[in-house]
């Protein structure tokens, strides 16, 4: 408005002329001083558009955002080694072999040496699966491993690095004729091979030293839960 007042003082126009001049030179929305055409229409339109919320297109409103989809999608749960007798997430872990495992033996504290606990620890950096039951041999017997004392479990026992699986052995019953051994042979089932691994000789641990074996020993299937093994071992009489 300062430019309008300066023109009015300088030229001393009549009232009608002044009114016309003020009307022509008034500051427009664009803030121009010389009465030239202002680019305000485009500015005004953009201001109106910015004040008006943009309606989403039907296709956009129907689709969740990428972040929403990612947060809504459930994450796969870990499976396998945490549950007794379970396999890995895809059920394709390789079969354990004798070079993968560390074998330990022990008695139960409340037992009188009639049952043996076998603990297999995965000594590698990758998971492997113990199928069925350990093929155990005592003495000169190398053809017929001990039979299982239970029905097959619903799942295999897959063990990750440094994890353990267990099997129990019923050695003898009271009053039964027995023989004594300081070691045993053990082999492992491999479903991908036409023949299972050859048995290797395993010495008993220092705590066990020797075992007394009767005429009808038997063994449990591999299991990740020691308590499940105990149920079968002390039920089989």
């Amino acid at each position: 408005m300062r430019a309008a007042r300066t023109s009015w003082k300088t030229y001393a126009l009549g009232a009608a002329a002044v009114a016309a001049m003020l009307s022509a030179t008034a500051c427009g929305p664009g803030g121009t001083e010389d009465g030239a055409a202002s680019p305000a229409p485009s500015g005004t339109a953009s201001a109106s558009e910015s004040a008006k919320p943009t309606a989403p297109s039907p296709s956009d409103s129907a689709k969740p955002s990428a972040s929403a989809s990612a947060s809504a999608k459930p994450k796969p749960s870990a499976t396998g080694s945490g549950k007794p007798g379970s396999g890995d997430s895809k059920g394709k872990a390789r079969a354990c072999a004798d070079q993968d495992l560390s074998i330990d033996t022990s008695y139960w504290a409340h037992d009188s040496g009639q049952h043996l606990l076998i603990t297999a620890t995965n000594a590698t950096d990758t998971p492997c699966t113990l199928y069925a039951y350990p093929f155990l041999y005592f003495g000169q017997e190398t053809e017929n491993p001990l039979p299982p004392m239970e029905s097959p479990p619903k799942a295999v026992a897959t063990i990750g690095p440094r994890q353990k699986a267990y099997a129990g052995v019923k050695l003898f019953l009271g009053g039964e004729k027995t023989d004594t051994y300081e070691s045993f042979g053990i082999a492992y089932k491999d479903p991908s091979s036409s023949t299972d691994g050859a048995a290797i000789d395993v010495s008993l641990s220092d705590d066990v030293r020797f075992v007394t074996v009767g005429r009808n020993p038997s063994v449990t299937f591999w299991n990740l839960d020691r308590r499940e093994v105990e149920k079968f071992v002390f039920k089989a009489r």
Side-chain angles (χ1 to χ4, degrees):
M1 298 299 293
R2 180 178 298 174
R5 287 197 296 269
T6 301
S7 298
W8 176 71
K9 290 181 180 180
T10 303
Y11 296 102
L13 297 179
V18 170
M21 183 176 177
L22 288 174
S23 174
T25 60
C27 294
T32 58
E33 296 181 347
D34 55 3
S38 170
S42 62
T44 304
S46 62
S48 302
E49 290 172 358
S50 63
K52 185 191 300 181
T54 304
S57 65
S59 60
D60 289 339
S61 61
K63 297 179 180 179
S65 65
S67 60
S69 301
S71 60
K73 187 176 181 181
K75 296 181 180 179
S77 59
T79 59
S81 57
K83 295 182 179 181
S86 61
D88 67 333
S89 58
K90 295 184 179 180
K92 294 182 179 180
R94 60 186 176 81
C96 297
D98 58 271
Q99 65 268 21
D100 302 320
L101 303 170
S102 172
I103 299 296
D104 190 29
T105 54
S106 59
Y107 286 130
W108 276 272
H110 59 281
D111 191 37
S112 59
Q114 290 179 268
H115 304 89
L116 184 71
L117 176 66
I118 297 177
T119 302
T121 303
N122 183 353
T124 72
D125 294 328
T126 58
C128 67
T129 296
L130 287 163
Y131 291 93
Y133 52 91
F135 298 157
L136 299 181
Y137 307 87
F138 287 100
Q140 300 301 314
E141 176 60 71
T142 59
E143 297 295 330
N144 300 305
L146 270 57
M149 67 174 71
E150 58 178 296
S151 59
K154 294 181 179 179
V156 296
T158 297
I159 49 178
R162 261 60 69 185
Q163 290 185 331
K164 303 177 186 296
Y166 305 92
V169 185
K170 183 193 74 172
L171 296 172
F172 68 94
L173 297 177
E176 195 174 20
K177 184 178 180 180
T178 61
D179 295 302
T180 301
Y181 303 96
E182 295 180 353
S183 65
F184 61 93
I186 185 170
Y188 309 95
K189 183 175 180 58
D190 185 353
S192 66
S193 175
S194 58
T195 59
D196 297 313
I200 61 169
D201 194 63
V202 176
S203 297
L204 295 164
S205 65
D206 293 339
D207 292 337
V208 175
R209 295 174 53 195
F210 64 87
V211 292
T212 302
V213 182
R215 292 295 174 260
N216 297 294
S218 57
V219 63
T220 70
F221 281 74
W222 290 112
N223 203 301
L224 303 184
D225 191 340
R226 175 174 167 169
R227 292 170 298 180
E228 290 297 315
V229 172
E230 291 177 354
K231 290 179 182 178
F232 287 105
V233 165
F234 294 103
K235 182 177 68 174
R237 295 290 181 182

